[in-house]
Amino acid sequence: MKNFMFKRLSFLGLTGLLFASSCMSDLQEPNQIEASKSQNEVAFAEANVSDVNARKAVERNYFERFTNQISLIPVEGFIPDYGAPAYYPGAGLGNSSHMGKAYSFLNQFATVGAEGLETKGRPVTQFYGEELAALGLTNIPDEVSSITTDGKGNSVWFKNINNQVSPVGPDRMEFVAEVEIINGTGKFEGATGTATVKGHFNPLNGKGMSTISGRIIY
């Protein structure tokens, strides 16, 4: 991709995220959020149904929308026209249907394959371990490539399954990814589910947006 930005883009710091959240209006998708609230809940007993104290997990719709700041960190063999190989960590501010205002952290690694640009999830803690620990999120497995949290002890952990990246022009890259929900904290502890991520970002300045829609059980 021509005129690809070589230098590392600055990270969106945790302080900046917290400041922005105080000024941000709700970014909820009304139809998605309402569907989540009004849907018929499917209960799954976690223990013997005769145990009145058994907590029940419920399957629900899940939706997020985030504004993101992505960074480019080239590695040896970097090809400017493709923007790879390189790490693409990022942080975002937005809204989750089950948390309200929330923060997101992610990490991807891009390579050049037979069909062009390919990306795979990498440990989110590689670049955001300190920020996540400051929010009380620790002992995160390497397979977790992105996390959404409200900063109040609740978080959802995602494992990247499959990515498709399509350069549309010098200032826009679009992506679609399949992810698996493999755990969480707070009310999402033990959560499972699947979802689809769609979005885009500008490789010249790292700014972009993304949505996640799917089903979650917690």
Side-chain angles (χ1 to χ4, degrees):
M1 184 166 46
K2 302 297 183 182
N3 299 321
F4 205 98
M5 187 173 185
F6 284 31
K7 67 180 181 179
R8 172 177 174 173
L9 297 169
S10 61
F11 284 97
L12 182 61
L14 184 59
T15 301
L17 284 173
L18 294 172
F19 173 78
S21 69
S22 66
C23 305
M24 188 189 78
S25 60
D26 286 345
L27 297 174
Q28 293 179 328
E29 289 284 318
N31 293 336
Q32 293 280 356
I33 303 302
E34 188 60 31
S36 177
K37 292 180 179 179
S38 63
Q39 67 184 290
N40 292 325
E41 296 181 338
V42 181
F44 296 85
E46 289 188 340
N48 192 302
V49 292
S50 63
D51 183 357
V52 295
N53 294 319
R55 183 174 69 87
K56 291 183 178 180
V58 177
E59 183 175 2
R60 324 159 194 255
N61 288 335
Y62 187 85
F63 183 81
E64 297 180 1
R65 177 182 288 275
F66 280 91
T67 298
N68 305 310
Q69 178 68 51
I70 306 297
S71 296
L72 165 65
I73 304 179
V75 300
E76 185 177 357
F78 180 73
I79 303 173
D81 284 355
Y82 287 96
Y87 287 98
Y88 285 85
L93 178 65
N95 208 286
S96 164
S97 58
H98 295 276
M99 284 184 262
K101 292 178 181 178
Y103 314 104
S104 67
F105 300 88
L106 62 95
N107 187 24
Q108 295 282 311
F109 185 73
T111 58
V112 180
E115 299 182 1
L117 189 64
E118 300 175 354
T119 66
K120 293 183 179 180
R122 287 294 183 265
V124 67
T125 53
Q126 182 176 1
F127 296 101
Y128 293 111
E130 292 184 3
E131 288 85 349
L132 292 167
L135 293 171
L137 304 179
T138 58
N139 300 318
I140 301 168
D142 286 348
E143 62 182 336
V144 177
S145 59
S146 65
I147 287 180
T148 297
T149 178
D150 60 4
K152 302 175 183 178
N154 299 306
S155 68
V156 177
W157 298 3
F158 298 93
K159 175 183 178 180
N160 186 262
I161 303 300
N162 182 53
N163 290 337
Q164 294 180 345
V165 182
S166 302
V168 177
D171 60 354
R172 185 181 177 95
M173 297 183 71
E174 297 182 349
F175 55 86
V176 178
E178 300 301 321
V179 296
E180 180 181 351
I181 298 170
I182 61 173
N183 205 347
T185 58
K187 66 181 181 180
F188 300 107
E189 183 176 358
T192 60
T194 58
T196 299
V197 183
K198 295 182 179 180
H200 62 83
F201 77 98
N202 184 340
L204 302 179
N205 59 23
K207 298 183 183 300
M209 64 80 59
S210 62
T211 62
I212 299 180
S213 58
R215 300 283 283 177
I216 185 172
I217 301 172
Y218 72 91

